[in-house]
Amino acid sequence: MSTLEIRDLHVAVEDKEILRGVNLTVRAGETHALMGPNGSGKSTLAYAVAGHPKYTITSGTVTLDGEDVLSMSVDERARAGLFLAMQYPVEVPGVSVSNFLRSAVTAVRGEAPKLRVFTKELKEGMDALSIDPAFAQRNLNEGFSGGEKKRHEILQLELLKPKIAILDETDSGLDVDALRVVSEGVNRFGASGETGVLLITHYTRILRYVKPDFVHVFAGGRVVEEGGPELADQLEAEGYERYTKATA
Ligand SMILES: Nc1ncnc2c1ncn2[C@@H]1O[C@H](COP(=O)(O)OP(=O)(O)O)[C@@H](O)[C@H]1O
Ligand SMILES: [Mg+2]
């Protein structure tokens, strides 16, 4: 069973310390919600684990099944079984969804799937998510609605079958349709037992649809409280104020 372990992680952006000792363990088959106020460093954690060059690890460790993630290239992280869906996906004119997904699958599996096999796989994945077949030929992320971005994200999960998926789902475009797509996808992945999901979110609303096994409250660049689903209900009722006061 796969385990992502983050230990005492400190991360700086342009010489400013943002993460101040993050400890978090996510195992395959578990769904974790990481929740916290805006600016608390949630996306910084996702970017740091993804290997974004702007984020400097000043101390601490990140391992996947004991392997040092921080020494891996971005491609190696994907191949090791890490999947990171970012809050603001980039538009790529001239690259279709289908081409992008085939490249991603090739990078993760280490060899290109036969076109015929991939086309079938893609079609099955799209059917399961009720995605219009024409979607595969569209330019990557160009003019995608909130719901389409989320369907694309979950489609990537279906095709790449990561060991650990980190989904940064804050504020952006989570209309009711998008919310439903994400929660159904996350619930299905959680239930498969093969993928560990870390759902990063500002809004407690999503937790009416997703039932996390663990909830972590993030404030001031670290995890300040942990609990089960009942903690999400408490956050929805009370908000983050008591945590922001404590770290200010
Ligand atoms: N690329 C960046 N350049 C400059 N500052 C950044 C960058 N990324 C994050 N920060 C700063 O780090 C802090 C945490 O931001 P972020 O991780 O986006 O928080 P959250 O996702 O919890 O809203 C903020 O003060 C933000 O301004
Ligand atoms: Mg964010």
Side-chain angles (χ1 to χ4, degrees):
M1 197 178 73
S2 288
T3 306
L4 177 74
E5 264 199 83
I6 301 172
R7 283 289 158 268
D8 197 27
L9 190 68
H10 291 247
V11 172
V13 182
E14 288 161 1
D15 294 333
K16 186 177 161 214
E17 186 175 54
I18 307 290
L19 299 189
R20 302 190 252 165
V22 178
N23 289 297
L24 194 63
T25 302
V26 180
R27 294 183 180 83
E30 299 174 348
T31 299
H32 294 247
L34 183 82
M35 321 193 56
N38 282 326
S40 57
K42 303 182 301 296
S43 295
T44 299
L45 177 65
Y47 281 119
V49 174
H52 192 294
K54 250 194 127 160
Y55 299 80
T56 310
I57 316 292
T58 49
S59 66
T61 58
V62 179
T63 59
L64 180 62
D65 298 331
E67 301 283 327
D68 178 13
V69 169
L70 298 177
S71 67
M72 296 178 192
S73 68
V74 171
D75 273 9
E76 285 167 341
R77 292 176 204 219
R79 223 171 300 142
L82 271 180
F83 174 84
L84 298 120
M86 297 334 270
Q87 202 175 335
Y88 303 107
V90 285
E91 296 183 7
V92 188
V95 172
S96 68
V97 167
S98 167
N99 282 337
F100 166 77
L101 289 173
R102 189 157 181 246
S103 304
V105 163
T106 302
V108 165
R109 295 184 194 164
E111 62 177 349
K114 288 210 171 68
L115 189 55
R116 187 167 41 83
V117 175
F118 175 73
T119 304
K120 184 163 171 281
E121 235 182 300
L122 181 60
K123 188 183 177 306
E124 285 170 1
M126 289 175 61
D127 285 349
L129 287 164
S130 312
I131 300 175
D132 185 320
F135 183 77
Q137 300 317 319
R138 284 181 55 188
N139 282 345
L140 189 61
N141 293 322
E142 212 176 79
F144 282 15
S145 69
E148 284 168 342
K149 278 182 193 157
K150 295 300 135 188
R151 280 190 181 80
H152 183 228
E153 198 171 288
I154 302 300
L155 181 59
Q156 290 176 64
L157 285 180
E158 301 277 359
L159 290 171
L160 301 174
K161 298 202 176 13
K163 292 174 179 162
I164 304 289
I166 300 180
L167 310 176
D168 192 351
E169 296 301 343
T170 5
D171 12 29
S172 64
L174 276 193
D175 50 47
V176 174
D177 178 40
L179 205 57
R180 193 177 52 76
V181 172
V182 173
S183 20
E184 285 177 5
V186 167
N187 288 334
R188 192 168 54 242
F189 265 80
S192 81
E194 278 156 36
T195 301
V197 177
L198 178 63
L199 185 68
I200 300 179
T201 180
H202 166 75
Y203 283 114
T204 52
R205 191 171 58 136
I206 195 169
L207 299 183
R208 287 183 209 163
Y209 304 85
V210 175
K211 286 290 158 238
D213 303 301
F214 303 93
V215 175
H216 312 266
V217 183
F218 208 73
R222 60 165 80 94
V223 175
V224 293
E225 186 162 351
E226 294 177 291
E230 74 288 346
L231 185 51
D233 298 333
Q234 187 197 319
L235 287 172
E236 178 151 14
E238 298 172 12
Y240 297 114
E241 206 178 324
R242 50 186 278 228
Y243 302 104
T244 47
K245 273 189 189 144
T247 56

